[in-house]
Amino acid sequence: MIGTVLAAQAECRDFWGGLCPDMSIEGEAIARPAAVGETDELFLELKREGYVQVPNALPESTIAPIRYAVSTLFQRGIPVAFAFVYDELWLAYQSFSRFLTAVLGEGYWALPDFWVWYVSPSENASGWGPHRDRVIPTVDDDNSPQTLSVWLPFTDAVPLNGCMYVLPAHLDDRFQERRWDGEGNNVVLRPQDVRALPATAGSLLAWNQAVLHWGGRGSRMATSPRISAAFEFQRSDCRPFNSPLLDPTRVPTFNERLGLIGKQVLQYRHMYPLSDEVADVASSLFERFMPGVPVPDAYPVPTGVAI
């Protein structure tokens, strides 16, 4: 039934505006810099651990509307990735431009790869299972990342509602072997090496895309759901890891967002249950609107970069 509703309403801006009247679509708001602290120290930590965590990077005034919007979509049975129809999610990621520039360099790109989660306080709900975001090489010899996943919690993320878990890079044999694909690449040989990452709402979590990580399982003992989103970015001196690359300083138009959301629903269907109805809606949005997403005039094609 929800597929029928989406098919009729997804392209209607007023539908989305009516669902979340306090959210904006193609408004005039601008991103406010996130509180990330000393980026040089974060970069060093990122190269050793494979991830960084910064509490209270975004204020409650930024995350509260997003939390409400994702909750509203979930309660209506609408795939929560559609929260990216609203400006506020795009602006939240623009807030981290100083951090992303420090890690990825000037002129970094946003990848057309993002997602949203609502993990209910129930044993039947969980985040995505153990995986590496990319199994082709995505780090330099010193573990400087060529690509980066940025994960933002909009509620407190704790073990009872499915917080993130990682295997730190310096404790992962795969980083010694410099090979992240193949059989057993998502197996933890020494469980005590795993690190839980409980995070307060508004925190920043970021990891290089070779890091093994996963979201935990919810529990009926949790006091709230885990609401979060992730977006991926890459350096400008590497070949595109997905296409089309996006200008991170530009918020896509409403129609472009619809095409990009359709792409996400389809490309991540191996990670979650997807009904035929919703898949049909996503396919329609992808076919109608993705061709309108701007493609950079020329991607950098450096020599000696293997991806």
Side-chain angles (χ1 to χ4, degrees):
M1 184 64 69
I2 190 60
T4 303
V5 173
L6 276 181
Q9 303 287 350
E11 299 177 25
C12 178
R13 187 193 305 248
D14 290 342
F15 169 71
W16 300 108
L19 280 179
C20 301
D22 293 334
M23 301 291 276
S24 63
I25 299 175
E26 295 187 321
E28 297 182 356
I30 59 174
R32 296 183 178 181
V36 295
E38 293 295 331
T39 56
D40 289 345
E41 294 179 7
L42 289 176
F43 194 16
L44 290 174
E45 183 177 329
L46 181 65
K47 288 192 285 187
R48 172 178 164 78
E49 303 286 337
Y51 77 94
V52 292
Q53 181 172 1
V54 180
N56 304 316
L58 294 175
E60 176 67 11
S61 59
T62 294
I63 62 176
I66 297 174
R67 181 169 60 236
Y68 174 81
V70 175
S71 297
T72 299
L73 297 186
F74 180 82
Q75 291 160 8
R76 297 292 187 93
I78 297 171
V80 291
F82 277 89
F84 272 93
V85 299
Y86 300 112
D87 298 342
E88 283 78 1
L89 277 90
W90 298 92
L91 295 175
Y93 282 94
Q94 285 188 355
S95 297
F96 292 96
S97 61
R98 184 170 70 88
F99 165 74
L100 290 165
T101 298
V103 172
L104 299 175
E106 296 286 349
Y108 69 89
W109 296 99
L111 281 153
D113 302 313
F114 54 83
W115 198 248
V116 182
W117 292 265
Y118 185 107
V119 179
S120 300
S122 162
E123 277 77 8
N124 296 323
S126 65
W128 288 354
H131 66 284
R132 302 175 194 271
D133 289 332
R134 299 184 196 275
V135 295
I136 57 176
T138 58
V139 291
D140 295 341
D141 290 343
D142 67 349
N143 286 344
S144 294
Q146 299 170 13
T147 60
L148 197 70
S149 295
V150 177
W151 187 86
L152 305 178
F154 304 114
T155 58
D156 291 348
V158 298
L160 286 177
N161 69 2
C163 73
M164 297 303 299
Y165 294 80
V166 302
L167 179 60
H170 70 283
L171 298 176
D172 184 351
D173 294 342
R174 294 283 178 150
F175 278 83
Q176 300 300 318
E177 299 168 7
R178 313 309 291 178
R179 181 173 177 268
W180 296 273
D181 62 355
E183 184 177 357
N185 77 328
N186 63 350
V187 174
V188 177
L189 299 178
R190 299 175 297 275
Q192 285 181 307
D193 290 345
V194 171
R195 194 166 294 163
L197 301 180
T200 55
S203 294
L204 160 71
L205 275 73
W207 52 80
N208 75 55
Q209 295 200 306
V211 163
L212 179 62
H213 64 283
W214 60 93
R217 182 166 297 280
S219 168
R220 60 182 175 79
M221 295 186 290
T223 58
S224 67
R226 189 204 84 188
I227 298 174
S228 57
F231 215 123
E232 301 179 14
F233 301 87
Q234 75 158 78
R235 288 189 342 216
S236 63
D237 63 344
C238 300
R239 298 174 186 271
F241 284 83
N242 198 355
S243 182
L245 296 180
L246 307 174
D247 179 354
T249 68
R250 175 183 177 271
V251 176
T253 67
F254 174 64
N255 285 349
E256 292 165 8
R257 296 176 210 184
L258 293 178
L260 286 163
I261 292 168
K263 178 180 175 68
Q264 309 316 303
V265 172
L266 296 174
Q267 72 181 5
Y268 292 128
R269 64 189 308 169
H270 62 292
M271 301 296 285
Y272 69 100
L274 178 63
S275 70
D276 291 341
E277 283 185 321
V278 174
D280 288 343
V281 173
S283 296
S284 175
L285 294 176
F286 177 82
E287 293 166 2
R288 282 175 51 77
F289 298 114
M290 270 304 294
V293 176
V295 177
D297 292 336
Y299 288 147
V301 184
T303 60
V305 176
I307 68 169

